[in-house]
Amino acid sequence: LQLTRETAILAAVVGFLITAIIVVNNLRDIQTDAKVGKKTLAVILGERGTRVEFLLLLVGAYTIPIILWVIGLVSHWLLLPILSTPLAFSLVRYLDDHTGADLNWALAGTARLSLIFSILLSIGLFFSTGRP
């Protein structure tokens, strides 16, 4: 078993989505955290900045595999996670219009997105083994 540069990068991509779950959680709790003096990154960035952070994490998760494919480092099979973009778009739109406890839906949705993306990425890795 060998850890390649591409595998490490793709693991980081999945990490972006897992981090997005934490970002939604912190966005949901931003008002209560600020009231009790918690200095989470969401409190420091504010609601708008935290929404931008969420967007950037998702953009990174979807863009990096495309870049790796364009430069010839991975197979086209690693583009399978792109099939989950409609869910990602719906989450970004939802985050723009909701706050507080309403974000529980986005929290669950981001976890679901992470799972679906990861399954699609795993299928892509399975089919691309030895076929860059």
XYZ file of all heavy atoms in Angstrom, residues 6-66:
458
model
N -1.358 12.266 -5.040
C -2.747 12.426 -5.463
C -3.720 11.942 -4.386
O -4.741 12.580 -4.137
C -2.997 11.676 -6.775
C -2.267 12.247 -7.967
C -0.790 11.822 -8.054
O -0.362 10.923 -7.291
O -0.070 12.397 -8.879
N -3.388 10.825 -3.744
C -4.240 10.301 -2.679
C -4.302 11.266 -1.508
O -5.376 11.505 -0.942
C -3.731 8.919 -2.208
O -3.653 8.055 -3.336
C -4.652 8.314 -1.179
N -3.169 11.837 -1.153
C -3.132 12.812 -0.051
C -3.972 14.042 -0.396
O -4.704 14.561 0.455
C -1.691 13.205 0.260
N -3.890 14.496 -1.623
C -4.677 15.663 -2.046
C -6.171 15.335 -2.000
O -6.987 16.132 -1.514
C -4.254 16.139 -3.447
C -2.823 16.707 -3.391
C -5.223 17.179 -3.988
C -2.212 16.963 -4.759
N -6.538 14.150 -2.479
C -7.952 13.764 -2.463
C -8.466 13.573 -1.038
O -9.631 13.870 -0.755
C -8.168 12.507 -3.301
C -7.959 12.706 -4.808
C -7.979 11.376 -5.534
C -8.988 13.676 -5.381
N -7.604 13.118 -0.141
C -7.997 13.021 1.270
C -8.263 14.416 1.837
O -9.214 14.607 2.606
C -6.913 12.314 2.069
N -7.452 15.380 1.442
C -7.672 16.760 1.888
C -8.995 17.300 1.351
O -9.705 18.034 2.045
C -6.514 17.651 1.446
N -9.342 16.916 0.124
C -10.613 17.333 -0.474
C -11.781 16.850 0.389
O -12.712 17.610 0.680
C -10.724 16.812 -1.923
C -12.138 16.907 -2.439
C -9.775 17.583 -2.823
N -11.735 15.593 0.805
C -12.779 15.062 1.687
C -12.748 15.826 3.015
O -13.799 16.152 3.585
C -12.605 13.544 1.900
C -13.566 13.029 2.954
C -12.809 12.806 0.586
N -11.555 16.162 3.484
C -11.419 16.965 4.701
C -12.088 18.326 4.583
O -12.630 18.851 5.561
N -12.064 18.917 3.387
C -12.766 20.191 3.174
C -14.257 20.039 3.490
O -14.863 20.900 4.128
C -12.633 20.669 1.724
C -11.287 21.183 1.327
C -11.052 21.540 0.016
C -10.242 21.321 2.229
C -9.821 22.030 -0.396
C -9.004 21.799 1.838
C -8.798 22.158 0.520
N -14.834 18.940 3.027
C -16.273 18.724 3.236
C -16.584 18.429 4.696
O -17.610 18.881 5.218
C -16.779 17.607 2.333
C -16.718 17.943 0.841
C -17.047 16.723 0.006
C -17.639 19.092 0.504
N -15.710 17.700 5.366
C -15.906 17.427 6.784
C -15.784 18.738 7.568
O -16.567 19.000 8.495
C -14.901 16.374 7.288
C -15.072 15.055 6.514
C -15.020 16.172 8.786
C -16.461 14.463 6.530
N -14.847 19.566 7.181
C -14.698 20.880 7.812
C -15.949 21.731 7.581
O -16.370 22.479 8.471
C -13.444 21.595 7.277
O -12.308 20.771 7.530
C -13.252 22.950 7.935
N -16.554 21.596 6.417
C -17.777 22.352 6.114
C -18.899 22.004 7.094
O -19.718 22.868 7.432
C -18.219 22.101 4.673
N -18.935 20.766 7.570
C -19.932 20.383 8.574
C -19.712 21.211 9.843
O -20.668 21.755 10.420
C -19.852 18.874 8.901
C -20.186 18.025 7.673
C -20.782 18.518 10.065
C -19.870 16.541 7.849
N -18.472 21.320 10.266
C -18.145 22.091 11.470
C -18.467 23.568 11.258
O -18.963 24.239 12.168
C -16.663 21.887 11.843
C -16.412 20.419 12.184
C -16.245 22.798 12.995
C -14.953 20.025 12.247
N -18.211 24.062 10.058
C -18.494 25.470 9.753
C -19.990 25.756 9.887
O -20.390 26.772 10.472
C -17.970 25.841 8.345
C -18.481 27.200 7.899
C -16.442 25.819 8.337
N -20.836 24.869 9.359
C -22.285 25.059 9.487
C -22.695 25.017 10.957
O -23.503 25.835 11.414
C -23.081 24.012 8.675
C -24.573 24.143 8.947
C -22.793 24.154 7.195
N -22.129 24.093 11.695
C -22.434 23.999 13.121
C -22.063 25.301 13.839
O -22.842 25.827 14.642
C -21.681 22.812 13.739
C -22.043 22.615 15.183
O -23.170 22.273 15.505
N -21.082 22.845 16.063
N -20.888 25.821 13.535
C -20.456 27.066 14.178
C -21.278 28.265 13.707
O -21.530 29.186 14.499
C -18.964 27.299 13.935
C -18.102 26.357 14.737
O -18.539 25.778 15.727
N -16.866 26.187 14.315
N -21.696 28.263 12.440
C -22.566 29.334 11.944
C -23.902 29.307 12.674
O -24.425 30.345 13.086
C -22.773 29.193 10.433
C -23.707 30.197 9.774
C -23.189 31.624 9.951
C -23.883 29.863 8.300
N -24.432 28.109 12.858
C -25.712 27.957 13.572
C -25.621 28.536 14.984
O -26.548 29.175 15.466
C -26.090 26.481 13.632
C -27.403 26.216 14.346
C -27.571 24.777 14.716
N -26.520 24.367 15.639
C -26.257 23.117 15.976
N -26.942 22.126 15.458
N -25.307 22.830 16.823
N -24.477 28.324 15.640
C -24.310 28.711 17.038
C -23.647 30.068 17.234
O -23.321 30.437 18.363
C -23.481 27.641 17.768
C -24.157 26.286 17.765
O -25.381 26.223 17.563
O -23.441 25.279 17.954
N -23.463 30.832 16.178
C -22.678 32.058 16.254
C -23.222 33.059 17.280
O -22.450 33.663 18.029
C -22.531 32.691 14.845
C -21.337 33.631 14.799
C -23.789 33.382 14.403
C -20.965 34.040 13.371
N -24.527 33.226 17.332
C -25.108 34.202 18.268
C -24.910 33.777 19.720
O -24.504 34.580 20.564
C -26.603 34.408 17.969
C -26.891 34.966 16.593
C -26.247 36.328 16.361
O -26.131 37.140 17.262
N -25.810 36.561 15.143
N -25.188 32.510 20.007
C -25.040 32.038 21.395
C -23.574 31.980 21.800
O -23.246 32.295 22.948
C -25.702 30.656 21.586
O -25.170 29.735 20.643
C -27.213 30.755 21.416
N -22.695 31.597 20.896
C -21.263 31.571 21.207
C -20.742 32.977 21.505
O -19.965 33.171 22.447
C -20.459 30.955 20.053
C -20.633 29.454 19.942
O -21.192 28.842 20.884
O -20.214 28.893 18.916
N -21.169 33.945 20.702
C -20.728 35.327 20.916
C -21.215 35.849 22.265
O -20.475 36.548 22.974
C -21.225 36.215 19.783
N -22.455 35.504 22.645
C -23.016 35.978 23.923
C -22.235 35.472 25.128
O -22.111 36.183 26.129
C -24.477 35.548 24.058
C -25.425 36.368 23.231
C -26.855 35.902 23.425
C -27.786 36.645 22.484
N -29.154 36.163 22.577
N -21.704 34.239 25.031
C -20.979 33.674 26.172
C -19.473 33.879 26.065
O -18.715 33.369 26.893
C -21.307 32.176 26.391
C -22.771 31.997 26.721
C -20.890 31.335 25.192
N -19.037 34.618 25.044
C -17.623 34.942 24.916
C -16.768 33.901 24.221
O -15.545 33.996 24.256
N -17.388 32.911 23.589
C -16.612 31.924 22.820
C -16.046 32.599 21.588
O -16.758 33.291 20.869
C -17.498 30.756 22.377
C -17.616 29.649 23.344
C -18.334 28.481 22.658
C -18.484 27.307 23.568
N -19.199 26.207 22.903
N -14.783 32.372 21.329
C -14.131 32.988 20.172
C -13.900 31.941 19.074
O -12.775 31.625 18.718
C -12.794 33.608 20.580
C -12.914 34.787 21.503
C -13.459 35.962 20.751
C -13.490 37.173 21.684
N -14.156 38.284 21.089
N -14.981 31.391 18.546
C -14.849 30.463 17.431
C -14.480 31.258 16.182
O -14.640 32.487 16.135
C -16.164 29.701 17.166
O -17.166 30.636 16.762
C -16.611 28.929 18.402
N -13.987 30.572 15.164
C -13.663 31.255 13.912
C -14.911 31.920 13.334
O -14.833 33.023 12.788
C -13.052 30.270 12.905
C -12.568 30.862 11.583
C -11.543 31.976 11.823
C -11.987 29.773 10.701
N -16.069 31.290 13.508
C -17.317 31.875 13.014
C -17.633 33.192 13.720
O -18.068 34.160 13.090
C -18.469 30.891 13.190
N -17.389 33.246 15.019
C -17.624 34.493 15.759
C -16.672 35.572 15.250
O -17.074 36.722 15.047
C -17.457 34.269 17.281
C -17.452 35.591 18.031
C -18.565 33.344 17.809
N -15.434 35.197 15.001
C -14.439 36.159 14.530
C -14.757 36.629 13.112
O -14.699 37.831 12.823
C -13.022 35.539 14.597
C -12.636 35.302 16.059
C -12.001 36.422 13.897
C -11.435 34.411 16.258
N -15.123 35.692 12.227
C -15.413 36.051 10.835
C -16.764 36.725 10.663
O -16.979 37.455 9.703
C -15.376 34.801 9.951
C -14.039 34.108 9.750
C -14.218 32.840 8.917
C -13.025 35.041 9.117
N -17.704 36.430 11.556
C -19.061 36.927 11.417
C -19.864 36.022 10.497
O -19.322 35.110 9.858
N -21.167 36.289 10.423
C -22.038 35.421 9.632
C -21.665 35.414 8.158
O -21.578 34.360 7.532
C -23.504 35.823 9.814
C -24.034 35.458 11.187
C -25.523 35.717 11.350
O -26.227 35.895 10.323
O -25.987 35.710 12.494
N -21.435 36.584 7.590
C -21.109 36.656 6.154
C -19.778 35.952 5.867
O -19.668 35.176 4.921
C -21.062 38.118 5.690
C -20.878 38.236 4.207
C -22.166 37.824 3.483
N -21.889 37.584 2.086
C -22.407 36.591 1.371
N -23.265 35.780 1.916
N -22.101 36.440 0.125
N -18.771 36.219 6.675
C -17.470 35.592 6.482
C -17.520 34.082 6.625
O -16.830 33.349 5.907
N -18.342 33.597 7.536
C -18.483 32.154 7.736
C -19.188 31.514 6.553
O -18.842 30.402 6.130
C -19.225 31.871 9.056
O -18.490 32.497 10.123
C -19.332 30.383 9.328
N -20.154 32.216 5.979
C -20.811 31.706 4.771
C -19.822 31.642 3.599
O -19.844 30.701 2.806
C -22.015 32.570 4.419
C -23.191 32.351 5.336
C -24.398 33.214 4.938
N -25.545 32.862 5.723
C -25.876 33.449 6.877
N -25.125 34.431 7.364
N -26.951 33.067 7.535
N -18.949 32.634 3.511
C -17.909 32.623 2.472
C -16.947 31.459 2.712
O -16.548 30.766 1.764
C -17.157 33.977 2.426
C -15.918 33.887 1.541
C -18.081 35.090 1.951
N -16.577 31.225 3.973
C -15.713 30.094 4.304
C -16.352 28.780 3.832
O -15.680 27.929 3.231
C -15.458 30.042 5.808
C -14.613 28.874 6.244
C -14.538 28.718 7.757
O -15.335 29.342 8.495
O -13.678 27.926 8.190
N -17.638 28.600 4.098
C -18.369 27.403 3.666
C -18.296 27.264 2.145
O -17.980 26.183 1.620
C -19.820 27.486 4.142
C -20.666 26.312 3.747
C -20.636 25.145 4.482
C -21.505 26.374 2.642
C -21.420 24.049 4.130
C -22.292 25.290 2.280
C -22.244 24.124 3.033
N -18.577 28.342 1.442
C -18.549 28.329 -0.021
C -17.164 27.956 -0.533
O -17.028 27.128 -1.442
C -18.978 29.691 -0.572
C -18.901 29.850 -2.085
C -19.854 28.897 -2.790
C -19.192 31.294 -2.473
N -16.123 28.538 0.043
C -14.757 28.245 -0.396
C -14.373 26.786 -0.169
O -13.682 26.174 -0.995
C -13.760 29.175 0.292
C -13.827 30.647 -0.118
C -12.881 31.485 0.730
C -13.536 30.814 -1.602
N -14.822 26.218 0.938
C -14.559 24.796 1.192
C -15.214 23.922 0.128
O -14.596 22.976 -0.379
C -15.042 24.405 2.591
C -14.203 24.931 3.748
C -14.951 24.790 5.067
C -12.852 24.218 3.813
N -16.447 24.234 -0.232
C -17.132 23.458 -1.261
C -16.493 23.670 -2.633
O -16.287 22.706 -3.374
C -18.620 23.796 -1.303
C -19.522 22.904 -0.454
C -19.125 22.871 1.005
C -20.966 23.260 -0.619
N -16.160 24.903 -2.952
C -15.508 25.179 -4.238
C -14.186 24.418 -4.325
O -13.886 23.797 -5.352
C -15.291 26.697 -4.432
C -14.337 26.988 -5.580
C -16.622 27.399 -4.662
N -13.428 24.404 -3.255
C -12.172 23.657 -3.248
C -12.381 22.170 -3.441
O -11.662 21.515 -4.202
N -13.396 21.630 -2.772
C -13.670 20.194 -2.864
C -14.022 19.777 -4.290
O -13.654 18.686 -4.731
C -14.800 19.809 -1.910
N -14.723 20.626 -5.011
C -15.121 20.277 -6.374
C -14.076 20.679 -7.417
O -13.981 20.045 -8.465
C -16.476 20.916 -6.713
C -17.615 20.210 -6.039
C -18.110 20.657 -4.820
C -18.172 19.063 -6.588
C -19.144 19.986 -4.178
C -19.196 18.388 -5.959
C -19.678 18.864 -4.752
O -20.687 18.188 -4.130
N -13.308 21.703 -7.143
C -12.344 22.204 -8.120
C -11.064 21.376 -8.168
O -10.535 21.120 -9.248
C -11.999 23.678 -7.804
O -13.200 24.437 -7.784
C -11.059 24.258 -8.839
N -10.575 20.949 -7.030
C -9.294 20.241 -6.985
C -9.303 18.956 -7.822
O -8.377 18.740 -8.613
C -8.840 20.019 -5.536
C -8.465 21.374 -4.925
C -7.671 19.040 -5.462
C -8.179 21.348 -3.435
N -10.320 18.096 -7.714
C -10.309 16.908 -8.590
C -10.314 17.268 -10.080
O -9.672 16.594 -10.888
C -11.577 16.153 -8.202
C -11.851 16.576 -6.800
C -11.418 18.019 -6.745
N -11.021 18.334 -10.433
C -11.049 18.766 -11.836
C -9.654 19.197 -12.275
O -9.181 18.819 -13.353
C -12.082 19.898 -12.042
C -13.494 19.370 -11.809
C -11.940 20.509 -13.437
C -14.562 20.447 -11.735
